[in-house]
Amino acid sequence: MKGRLYGIGVGPGDPELMTIKAKKTIEASDIVVVPGEKVEDSIAYRIAKGACEHLDDLNLVALEMPMVKDKEKLNTMHEKAARQIESWLDEGKNVSFLTLGDVTVYSTYMYVHNRVVRDGYDAAIINGITSFTAAAARLNTDLVERAQPLHVIPATFKVDGMEDLLSLPGTKVLMKSGKEIEKVREAILASGQKAMMVENCGMDNEKIYLDAKDIPDTASYYSLIIVKEPQEEA
């Protein structure tokens, strides 16, 4: 009997935000995969370790998942990861693949998941708390109310069209702003809208910025900005 692949969202950073289902599935797995070159360098691993007491007793494997935009290189790495996982599934082993936040939101894992499912293997998704809902909670605010729409935008990929995106109604969540943070900040300031940022939400090096003008020129990859349009008084 073939094994099953689980894509597991470990949440944004705080191990206490990892779900009970994620914890149980990880601890029952034959192999636990983390993205990266080394297991100990993986943020997903460190989050899971804070929730799973005996994580280091399991069979942990790091699979390289580069953060690049080169489609050919990405396809090669995703295909290689899928082939490796399928070899374990053929041996009847259950595999958990850990990923930050929620599996269904801009997750590298899904490229592997889709290949494995396409090849006829069994795979399941276990949701995690998203970075933007966790960031809103840290900022002690909501994301949307009444009929407001919510826009989730990968800022690094959309920085050249940021002016148009910021003109959208409702709340804009700008994810992965790190490399383009200065340009994103200037676009927000030009728009005149209120914005707040959480960097490394739930991690030891978390930083919170309550005003767009305070956002620094450089920030980590895990920087998330919430831009809210002015609201009418209730």
Side-chain angles (χ1 to χ4, degrees):
M1 181 180 293
K2 293 182 179 180
R4 192 181 200 193
L5 170 63
Y6 296 91
I8 299 181
V10 298
D14 183 349
E16 292 187 351
L17 293 181
M18 213 173 83
T19 67
I20 294 173
K21 187 171 185 177
K23 180 178 183 296
K24 287 183 176 179
T25 305
I26 292 169
E27 293 175 340
S29 296
D30 299 301
I31 297 174
V32 177
V33 173
V34 298
E37 295 182 5
K38 297 180 180 179
V39 170
E40 58 270 21
D41 292 339
S42 167
I43 295 176
Y45 158 75
R46 294 200 293 268
I47 294 171
K49 186 175 180 179
C52 304
E53 296 179 4
H54 304 292
L55 183 64
D56 288 337
D57 295 334
L58 302 177
N59 187 359
L60 302 170
V61 179
L63 290 182
E64 187 178 359
M65 292 286 156
M67 293 182 183
V68 297
K69 295 181 181 179
D70 186 315
K71 290 184 177 180
E72 185 175 345
K73 185 173 183 179
L74 287 172
N75 285 332
T76 298
M77 297 307 298
H78 296 155
E79 195 68 28
K80 181 179 178 182
R83 297 289 81 75
Q84 176 62 75
I85 289 171
E86 288 175 1
S87 71
W88 292 324
L89 299 179
D90 285 335
E91 295 173 0
K93 295 177 180 178
N94 291 325
V95 180
S96 285
F97 191 118
L98 311 188
T99 186
L100 290 175
D102 180 70
V103 182
T104 65
V105 181
Y106 299 124
S107 169
T108 298
Y109 162 78
M110 287 305 301
Y111 297 104
V112 177
H113 174 96
N114 291 336
R115 283 171 167 78
V116 171
V117 171
R118 176 199 64 197
D119 292 340
Y121 293 86
D122 189 15
I125 291 172
I126 297 179
N127 297 105
I129 291 177
T130 63
S131 58
F132 51 89
T133 54
R138 289 293 293 122
L139 294 167
N140 209 29
T141 188
D142 60 0
L143 283 170
V144 285
E145 60 182 54
R146 296 182 179 176
Q148 287 182 321
L150 175 65
H151 308 276
V152 181
I153 301 164
T156 298
F157 292 86
K158 301 291 185 180
V159 68
D160 292 334
M162 191 56 62
E163 182 178 343
D164 291 337
L165 292 170
L166 289 173
S167 69
L168 292 168
T171 299
K172 279 73 65 175
V173 170
L174 308 180
M175 298 182 65
K176 305 181 179 182
S177 301
K179 290 183 179 179
E180 303 290 350
I181 195 71
E182 189 174 359
K183 292 180 181 179
V184 172
R185 181 195 63 207
E186 295 310 310
I188 294 170
L189 290 172
S191 76
Q193 296 182 79
K194 178 178 175 58
M196 298 177 285
M197 185 176 95
V198 180
E199 182 178 4
N200 301 319
C201 183
M203 303 179 197
D204 292 338
N205 55 344
E206 176 188 89
K207 295 179 182 178
I208 293 177
Y209 303 90
L210 299 178
D211 195 301
K213 63 180 175 56
D214 297 326
I215 294 174
D217 292 342
T218 59
S220 78
Y221 178 80
Y222 302 108
S223 297
L224 186 145
I225 302 173
I226 297 175
V227 183
K228 303 186 75 170
E229 67 176 356
Q231 300 179 20
E232 297 180 0
E233 294 294 331

